[in-house]
Amino acid sequence: MTRASLDKQPHEVASMFDDVAERYDLTNDVLSLGQARLWRKAVAKAVDARPAQKVLDLAAGTATSSQPFAQAGAYVVPCDFSLGMLQVGKSRHPWMPFTAGDATKLPFKDDTFDAVTISFGLRNVRETDQALREMYRVTKPGGRVVISEFSHATWAPFRTVYEEYLMRALPPVARAVSSNPDAYVYLAESIRSWPDQPTLAAMLQDAGWSKVAWRNLTGGVVALHRGYKA
């Protein structure tokens, strides 16, 4: 897979993440210029995990994103369809219940989780609408969804600079720090082809979520979408 589109083959995406699993967290910190840590903190605050709550962390990778929920006392299930990511995560956090799963066919019962969250993984799901419906299905009534995803910068001059960084600066940086730099070319292109903030909000509403809202982070480079299950 060398070019990005919204018609993704799941096995190709999974294989790509298998290849970058070992150095994925380090690479993200470098490529985001340190912003990834701030984005994770914003997600943790939005999810607001509490003791004894059940949290499903989709596209959890090595479970770096899952740690704040566990530290808050919640029972968190890191779920990903990349076995390579899960294996690296399990070696680092052997006590966590890592689960292999496809976001469009989640291996969980209806009304199981108090919160479902996915960070920087929704755009890699082939059937986004189906994934949003599945998240709704496994969430308890009154529960919430939090989606952190790359989006569209809101200030035009900054948007131009950002897109230039994605397509010109990101690949050489990825070559220096990543085990599979071609994967990051795909990721950069997938960011450019992803829907904007209002479009994703409408997709959430169509999937059944209510009280849908979003907040821009880093000038809209990332958007934090939230919704609730009535």
Side-chain angles (χ1 to χ4, degrees):
M1 178 168 51
T2 57
R3 305 296 296 178
S5 74
L6 297 184
D7 182 27
K8 313 166 193 69
Q9 297 300 318
H11 67 279
E12 292 181 325
V13 178
S15 176
M16 179 187 72
F17 280 102
D18 290 347
D19 291 342
V20 301
E22 192 64 45
R23 304 183 70 184
Y24 184 70
D25 296 319
L26 169 64
T27 305
N28 283 351
D29 281 340
V30 172
L31 294 178
S32 70
L33 308 178
Q35 292 293 299
R37 295 170 186 250
L38 298 177
W39 297 334
R40 283 197 293 270
K41 288 182 179 179
V43 171
K45 186 175 181 180
V47 171
D48 192 25
R50 305 292 177 87
Q53 287 189 339
K54 291 182 179 179
V55 177
L56 175 59
D57 187 14
L58 292 174
T62 60
T64 298
S65 58
S66 305
Q67 298 312 304
F69 313 133
Q71 291 164 5
Y75 177 78
V76 56
V77 177
C79 182
D80 203 292
F81 71 164
S82 164
L83 295 180
M85 285 285 194
L86 295 173
Q87 289 166 355
V88 172
K90 193 69 175 177
S91 69
R92 296 176 183 174
H93 313 288
W95 53 275
M96 298 193 78
F98 286 88
T99 302
D102 182 339
T104 64
K105 294 177 288 188
L106 293 173
F108 307 105
K109 295 180 180 179
D110 296 358
D111 306 333
T112 297
F113 297 96
D114 297 282
V116 177
T117 183
I118 182 169
S119 293
F120 309 109
L122 188 60
R123 75 183 188 286
N124 297 316
V125 177
R126 186 178 186 184
E127 298 174 32
T128 306
D129 293 327
Q130 176 62 20
L132 295 175
R133 288 192 293 270
E134 276 290 274
M135 292 179 206
Y136 186 87
R137 179 184 65 79
V138 302
T139 301
K140 295 178 181 178
R144 56 211 181 273
V145 66
V146 175
I147 297 171
S148 178
E149 187 53 88
F150 289 110
S151 197
H152 294 244
T154 54
W155 188 46
F158 175 61
R159 183 165 59 246
T160 300
V161 171
Y162 170 60
E163 291 185 354
E164 285 293 309
Y165 168 73
L166 276 179
M167 301 314 300
R168 296 193 180 189
L170 188 148
V173 173
R175 279 193 289 275
V177 298
S178 173
S179 55
N180 183 359
D182 287 343
Y184 285 88
V185 175
Y186 160 78
L187 290 173
E189 293 179 344
S190 72
I191 291 169
R192 294 182 72 180
S193 61
W194 183 246
D196 63 12
Q197 293 90 322
T199 302
L200 180 55
M203 293 168 69
L204 277 159
Q205 291 171 330
D206 289 344
W209 297 97
S210 62
K211 299 180 182 177
V212 174
W214 75 85
R215 180 163 67 95
N216 289 318
L217 305 176
T218 316
V221 168
V222 169
L224 209 58
H225 282 73
R226 286 178 283 185
Y228 294 86
K229 182 172 179 176

